[in-house]
Amino acid sequence: MNSIKINTFILLFVLAQLVKTASSQNDYFADPVDIPIFLSGNFCELRPNHFHGGLDFKTQQRIGLPIYSAAEGFIYRIVVSPTGYGKALYVEHPNGTSSVYAHLHRFRDDIEAYVKSEQYNRESFAVDLSPDKKLFTVGKRELIAFSGNTGSSGGPHLHFEIRDT
């Protein structure tokens, strides 16, 4: 009888810790958009030649909606491509995750100026940049870009991912 009580206590303790961890992770990230979230694409959704790697948030069929960092961190990668994710930002967070924002119309002004300068220096529209981590630090809910329809996109939306880095 004693071992049943101990095992029940251990099980309840473990479950409580799991719930506490899950709820703290839920508070860690904020929505990257200020509009109601409706999905146009799901994680692992079967596509013609791959599984979808993130969530696609509808942007009310509009381009130019503000996009915010889901948590504090720094921008560690900026990509501009005529295909794939189009214009995309990658933010690394202190909790060991990173977030991805893709198919963007444009970046906020300081990031846009940095990218344009690098494009001219490299004489290339397509760039894959790794800025110093001190160059673009971001806070939770800080403006980072504007929604778009760039790259291999079928219409205006935000492709969003949270990755375990």
Side-chain angles (χ1 to χ4, degrees):
M1 187 71 120
N2 228 1
S3 66
I4 293 174
K5 286 182 181 179
I6 292 172
N7 288 341
T8 303
F9 174 77
I10 292 171
L11 178 62
L12 290 174
F13 179 77
V14 169
L15 286 173
Q17 293 304 308
L18 288 173
V19 168
K20 181 179 174 185
T21 300
S23 67
S24 69
Q25 284 295 338
N26 288 340
D27 293 338
Y28 190 83
F29 295 104
D31 293 338
V33 291
D34 270 340
I35 58 174
I37 293 182
F38 294 102
L39 298 180
S40 60
N42 296 311
F43 178 69
C44 279
E45 180 178 275
L46 184 59
R47 299 289 172 95
N49 60 354
H50 67 284
F51 288 106
H52 189 242
L55 297 174
D56 287 344
F57 294 168
K58 291 183 177 184
T59 57
Q60 303 172 334
Q61 301 177 350
R62 294 169 31 203
I63 290 173
L65 294 178
I67 303 298
Y68 304 97
S69 178
E72 71 171 309
F74 62 91
I75 296 171
Y76 72 93
R77 186 176 181 203
I78 306 168
V79 177
V80 177
S81 171
T83 62
Y85 284 172
K87 286 189 167 192
L89 288 176
Y90 297 71
V91 178
E92 187 171 316
H93 307 290
N95 73 342
T97 63
S98 59
S99 53
V100 181
Y101 312 80
H103 303 302
L104 303 169
H105 176 62
R106 67 181 179 89
F107 308 116
R108 72 178 192 207
D109 291 345
D110 58 335
I111 300 168
E112 192 74 29
Y114 169 79
V115 170
K116 191 173 197 173
S117 173
E118 289 297 318
Q119 287 172 316
Y120 277 101
N121 288 341
R122 298 167 190 230
E123 297 181 0
S124 175
F125 170 76
V127 291
D128 190 340
L129 308 171
S130 300
D132 184 271
K133 68 181 183 178
K134 294 178 184 172
L135 189 57
F136 299 114
T137 58
V138 295
K140 183 176 184 176
R141 298 278 305 144
E142 184 174 335
L143 178 72
I144 55 174
F146 297 89
S147 66
N149 186 29
T150 59
S152 302
S153 171
H157 72 283
L158 170 66
H159 176 91
F160 179 69
E161 300 176 23
I162 296 177
R163 298 178 175 181
D164 181 359
T165 45

